Amino acid sequence: IGVNWDVTPDVLLNEDLRQAKQQAEARASELELARRRIEYNALHDSLTGLPNRRYLDETLQRHAEDGYQGSGSIALLHIDLDRFKQINDTLGHAAGDAMLIHASRVLRASCQETDFVARIGGDEFVIVCSAGSDDQRLHELADSIVKEVRKPALHEGHECRFGVSIGVAV
């Protein structure tokens, strides 16, 4: 006694299912990457790459009860660029953008790895850190930012000079 049947349709169906699964997994991966990219863009400044005001608000809400990273305190340094409008008006928006990027690099370089640096709009930035038991670190951080930003920055052969005003709240 023998049985004979053609398994070609079953093999083809299994292959189609494998391909459909691979396509679905690839599409899910693409969607996840797109979701991450959209979320990143929604929470970061497109020019400097720093977190934006929305991200800052979320961070402050997360740390409101127990202080920044559980330290029991939160220190905010509000930074406003001085003479930025003059650079923007005389040398153009490209120069202004270059100075914003320069300022963001100075802020990142001046801060510790655990500090949170955000651009909250225009020429305003905020640094969030733990205050600690004394204000010495905050004083040193503000001084180092002021000194670094005062150094001239070059843009297309033009020497651009601007300063910062820093307000500190603990």
Side-chain angles (χ1 to χ4, degrees):
I1 297 177
V3 177
N4 183 14
W5 71 83
D6 188 2
V7 295
T8 304
D10 290 339
V11 170
L12 292 175
L13 180 62
N14 281 338
E15 183 58 34
D16 287 345
L17 288 173
R18 266 193 294 278
Q19 286 179 354
K21 180 182 176 192
Q22 287 175 343
Q23 289 173 346
E25 288 172 347
R27 183 71 179 143
S29 176
E30 288 174 14
L31 288 172
E32 179 61 21
L33 285 174
R35 184 195 65 76
R36 286 183 188 163
R37 195 168 40 250
I38 289 168
E39 185 175 302
Y40 180 87
N41 289 339
L43 296 174
H44 290 80
D45 175 56
S46 61
L47 180 65
T48 62
L50 292 175
N52 60 19
R53 179 183 298 271
R54 181 174 168 214
Y55 197 166
L56 172 66
D57 291 343
E58 289 177 8
T59 299
L60 291 176
Q61 280 183 333
R62 256 193 337 270
H63 297 286
E65 290 225 4
D66 59 350
Y68 188 64
Q69 296 185 338
S71 67
S73 66
I74 296 178
L76 298 176
L77 284 79
H78 188 272
I79 300 157
D80 186 64
L81 303 184
D82 300 332
R83 295 185 301 279
F84 172 75
K85 185 177 181 341
Q86 183 181 8
I87 292 170
N88 227 6
D89 290 346
T90 57
L91 297 176
H93 292 289
D97 289 350
M99 294 308 105
L100 290 171
I101 292 168
H102 170 70
S104 71
R105 287 183 185 144
V106 167
L107 295 177
R108 282 185 190 144
S110 299
C111 292
Q112 294 178 355
E113 190 80 21
T114 56
D115 295 341
F116 181 87
V117 182
R119 178 176 175 215
I120 59 171
D123 61 346
E124 296 180 46
F125 298 85
V126 170
I127 298 174
V128 180
C129 54
S130 59
S133 59
D134 66 328
D135 296 334
Q136 186 62 30
R137 177 177 178 262
L138 300 176
H139 188 323
E140 290 171 1
L141 176 59
D143 278 348
S144 71
I145 291 170
V146 168
K147 287 176 187 172
E148 283 299 311
V149 170
R150 280 187 183 165
K151 294 178 182 177
L154 288 176
H155 175 71
E156 295 182 355
H158 296 283
E159 194 174 85
C160 300
R161 292 179 180 268
F162 60 97
V164 293
S165 299
I166 302 177
V168 180
V170 178

